[in-house]
């Protein structure tokens, strides 16, 4: 190690230029890698339901101006008309089960949320802001909604839907822990009683399920709907059997859609739920892709710049290597010294660059962009929720990249330097 530092100090001008380059690269790395790592982690949060086995088919109504519109059936019982479509969907070959879906359901544009306060006991645990929001998911009771989507209970088993008279709720695990930390949530009131909401008893608790891809860690609650209200099912979601190809299933279903009609209602536009997720996430995906392109551009320039600089510097070491070989140094020792110089220089440059950037962050109050509110972060922690976790991981990634590129830039010429014949290298000297 002493020899390595002597060699670095012996070439102060070249070492200083390389050192400054690594410091600048480190600071830039902090700026561009941190948001990419955080956003990618959010995008990779599991869906929590079996979207890869689901096909959604929209329910549409014939326009009154259509020559197929039947006025005699327009006032038929809604439950029966929609029920006919659901029954036909369940009878379709390849379908394991089917249920209704509303505008306020998974991977939909519609959204309704309610704010709530976590239990006061979290204040004593260091949670300053106890507010969090819950996204509403509508479902029709007794239509096997949870088993069709593949939603699990807190133990990882298929959630068994309890009987619901329409005024009671099912909540996700995060909501249950936030509002009822010291007891079971079942049987408790989720919302304060009011004239329009006389009861909000919790009937069950499911695993956490993001409303849309890219939403991150959010709380959800399931609200029952009936045929008396103005809200009607938007679509039917079919759960395909094991081994059924969803693409081929949709292709065949599209050809047979004319058969799926009940009164003036009909099925249209089947879509694979996986594609629906990608569609909803498309805008965020474009932004994330742009960030990854910038990161890739940065990494390529780091590889070419830092590795190239080490390559050039190592090529100038051929005369020194000849002298060292003449005094008994082995090839492996020469190789190790050159590689060690590269790694030490990269580490010191990373260390100084990271300190400079962290000092800058301190002046900005250490901004911690996150996908979740404070109480949800406390209940479902991820590596980027704390300063220690976030900056340790990001700093480690940058250090690893610098060490790899520096080692690569030094390894190629170091092998050649160590193998140069003593006579040739001394002749160059």
């Amino acid at each position: 190690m002493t020899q390595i530092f002597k060699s670095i100090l012996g070439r102060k001008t070249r070492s200083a230029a390389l050192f400054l380059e690594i410091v600048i690269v480190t600071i830039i790395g902090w700026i561009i890698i941190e948001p990419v790592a955080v956003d990618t982690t959010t995008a990779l949060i599991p869906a929590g339901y079996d979207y890869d086995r689901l096909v959604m088919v929209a329910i549409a109504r014939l326009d009154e101006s259509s020559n197929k519109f039947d006025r005699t059936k327009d006032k038929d019982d809604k439950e029966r008309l929609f029920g006919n479509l659901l029954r036909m969907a369940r009878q379709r070959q390849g379908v394991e089960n089917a249920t209704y879906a509303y505008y306020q359901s998974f991977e939909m544009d519609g959204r309704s949320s309610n704010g709530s306060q976590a239990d006061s006991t979290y204040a004593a645990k260091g949670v300053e802001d106890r507010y969090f929001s819950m996204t509403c998911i509508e479902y029709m009771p007794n239509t096997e909604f949870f088993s069709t989507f593949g939603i699990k209970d807190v133990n990882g088993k298929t959630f068994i839907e309890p009987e619901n008279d329409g005024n009671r709720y099912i909540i996700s695990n995060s909501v249950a822990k936030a509002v009822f930390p010291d007891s079971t949530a079942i049987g408790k009131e989720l919302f304060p009683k009011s004239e329009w909401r006389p009861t909000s008893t919790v009937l069950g608790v499911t695993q956490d399920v993001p409303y849309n891809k890219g939403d991150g860690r959010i709380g959800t609650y399931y609200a029952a709907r009936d045929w008396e209200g103005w809200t009607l099912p938007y679509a039917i979601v079919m759960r395909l059997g094991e081994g059924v190809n969803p693409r081929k299933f949709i292709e065949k279903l599209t050809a047979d859609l004319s058969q799926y009609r009940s009164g003036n209602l009909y099925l249209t536009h089947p879509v694979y739920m996986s594609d629906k997720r990608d569609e909803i996430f498309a805008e965020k995906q474009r932004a994330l892709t742009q960030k990854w392109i910038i990161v890739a551009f940065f990494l390529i320039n780091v590889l070419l710049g830092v590795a190239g600089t080490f390559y050039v510097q190592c090529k100038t070491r051929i005369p020194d290597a000849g002298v060292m070989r003449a005094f008994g140094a082995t090839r492996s020792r020469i190789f190790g010294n050159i590689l060690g110089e590269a790694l030490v220089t990269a580490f010191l440059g990373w260390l100084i660059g990271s300190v400079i950037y962290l000092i800058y962050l301190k002046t900005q109050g250490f901004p911690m962009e996150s996908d979740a509110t404070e109480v949800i972060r406390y209940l479902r922690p991820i590596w980027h929720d704390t300063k220690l976790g976030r900056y340790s991981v990001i700093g480690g990634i940058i250090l690893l990249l610098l060490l790899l590129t520096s080692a690569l830039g030094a390894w190629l010429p170091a092998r050649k330097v160590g193998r140069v014949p003593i006579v040739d290298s001394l002749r160059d000297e």
Side-chain angles (χ1 to χ4, degrees):
M1 185 61 72
T2 302
Q3 181 63 37
I4 291 175
F5 279 105
K6 286 182 178 180
S7 181
I8 294 174
L9 294 175
R11 298 171 178 79
K12 294 181 181 179
T13 302
R14 292 179 179 176
S15 298
L18 180 58
F19 185 78
L20 180 60
E21 180 181 356
I22 294 176
V23 169
I24 295 173
V25 165
T26 299
I27 294 174
I28 296 174
W30 274 100
I31 295 173
I32 67 173
I33 291 179
E34 180 181 354
V36 172
V38 173
D39 291 348
T40 301
T41 300
T42 301
L44 294 177
I45 290 178
Y49 70 96
D50 301 333
Y51 63 88
D52 55 338
R53 293 180 59 184
L54 302 179
V55 171
M56 176 181 287
V57 191
I59 300 174
R61 179 177 179 274
L62 289 171
D63 190 87
E64 294 185 11
S65 61
S66 172
N67 56 9
K68 295 183 179 180
F69 186 81
D70 189 343
R71 296 186 182 277
T72 62
K73 297 182 179 180
D74 194 39
K75 294 183 179 181
D76 283 1
D77 180 55
K78 290 182 291 187
E79 182 176 359
R80 186 181 66 82
L81 292 176
F82 280 87
N84 288 338
L85 292 178
L86 182 61
R87 175 180 50 79
M88 288 187 284
R90 287 175 172 172
Q91 292 175 349
R92 177 84 184 181
Q93 185 176 1
V95 175
E96 183 178 292
N97 211 337
T99 189
Y100 296 118
Y102 289 81
Y103 276 110
Q104 293 177 182
S105 187
F106 300 114
E107 318 307 335
M108 291 292 189
D109 295 324
R111 184 190 290 263
S112 175
S113 299
N114 271 290
S116 184
Q117 287 280 344
D119 190 82
S120 58
T121 56
Y122 286 106
K125 299 177 181 179
V127 178
E128 297 180 0
D129 185 4
R130 293 184 289 115
Y131 173 85
F132 69 97
S133 63
M134 304 176 291
T135 299
C136 176
I137 299 173
E138 299 178 326
Y139 77 101
M140 178 69 70
N142 303 315
T143 60
E144 302 183 38
F145 174 88
F146 296 92
S147 60
T148 299
F149 275 89
I151 298 171
K152 303 293 190 294
D153 62 19
V154 292
N155 297 315
K157 300 179 181 179
T158 300
F159 182 76
I160 305 300
E161 179 185 338
E163 291 293 329
N164 194 342
D165 60 5
N167 295 317
R168 291 166 173 78
Y169 298 88
I170 296 167
I171 59 178
S172 65
N173 195 32
S174 290
V175 176
K177 289 182 177 180
V179 183
F180 313 104
D182 300 322
S183 62
T184 178
I186 297 176
K188 306 293 179 56
E189 296 294 315
L190 179 61
F191 301 108
K193 292 185 177 181
S194 63
E195 293 182 4
W196 62 277
R197 188 185 297 173
T199 182
S200 59
T201 306
V202 176
L203 294 177
V205 180
T206 71
Q207 287 187 351
D208 290 302
V209 183
Y211 187 71
N212 289 333
K213 182 179 180 180
D215 276 357
R217 295 163 292 171
I218 61 172
T220 54
Y221 70 96
Y222 301 85
R225 293 292 176 256
D226 56 35
W227 300 106
E228 301 301 323
W230 59 271
T231 304
L232 294 174
Y234 161 79
I236 288 177
V237 174
M238 305 177 191
R239 180 183 180 87
L240 305 184
E242 291 283 355
V244 177
N245 187 308
R247 307 289 182 188
K248 293 182 178 179
F249 177 87
I250 291 175
E251 182 179 345
K252 294 179 181 179
L253 177 61
T254 302
D256 298 336
L257 278 179
S258 60
Q259 304 173 14
Y260 293 85
R261 180 177 172 182
S262 177
N264 292 313
L265 301 177
Y266 63 96
L267 298 183
T268 183
H269 296 97
V271 60
Y272 186 27
M273 205 64 172
S274 181
D275 294 340
K276 184 74 172 174
R277 280 171 53 82
D278 293 339
E279 177 186 338
I280 293 295
F281 187 64
E283 185 174 345
K284 293 180 180 179
Q285 181 64 65
R286 283 192 292 270
L288 184 58
T289 300
Q290 291 173 357
K291 293 178 181 178
W292 269 108
I293 291 174
I294 295 174
V295 169
F297 179 77
F298 165 76
L299 294 178
I300 291 173
N301 279 275
V302 168
L303 179 62
L304 297 178
V306 176
T309 302
F310 276 115
Y311 182 87
V312 172
Q313 286 206 15
C314 290
K315 291 283 287 185
T316 64
R317 303 289 298 278
I318 292 178
D320 297 340
V323 174
M324 295 176 65
R325 290 288 307 281
F327 282 92
T330 62
R331 292 178 178 178
S332 59
R333 181 175 180 181
I334 295 172
F335 177 84
N337 283 345
I338 294 175
L339 194 61
E341 286 180 36
L343 296 177
V344 169
T345 303
F347 175 77
L348 293 177
W350 166 83
L351 184 62
I352 299 301
S354 296
V355 169
I356 293 173
Y357 186 72
L358 290 175
I359 291 174
Y360 165 75
L361 285 180
K362 184 178 181 180
T363 64
Q364 302 299 310
F366 288 107
M368 298 278 288
E369 183 180 350
S370 179
D371 63 301
T373 58
E374 186 177 1
V375 66
I376 298 298
R377 293 199 301 269
Y378 178 85
L379 294 170
R380 299 173 59 190
I382 291 182
W383 64 268
H384 58 71
D385 287 340
T386 64
K387 296 174 185 177
L388 178 61
R390 177 178 295 221
Y391 299 133
S392 296
V393 171
I394 300 301
I397 292 174
I398 297 171
L399 176 60
L400 180 61
L401 292 174
L402 286 174
L403 292 178
L404 288 175
T405 53
S406 300
L408 179 62
W411 176 72
L412 294 174
R415 293 180 62 201
K416 186 175 182 179
V417 170
R419 294 175 180 175
V420 172
I422 298 175
V423 175
D424 293 344
S425 59
L426 291 177
R427 185 186 300 117
D428 294 337
E429 178 67 16

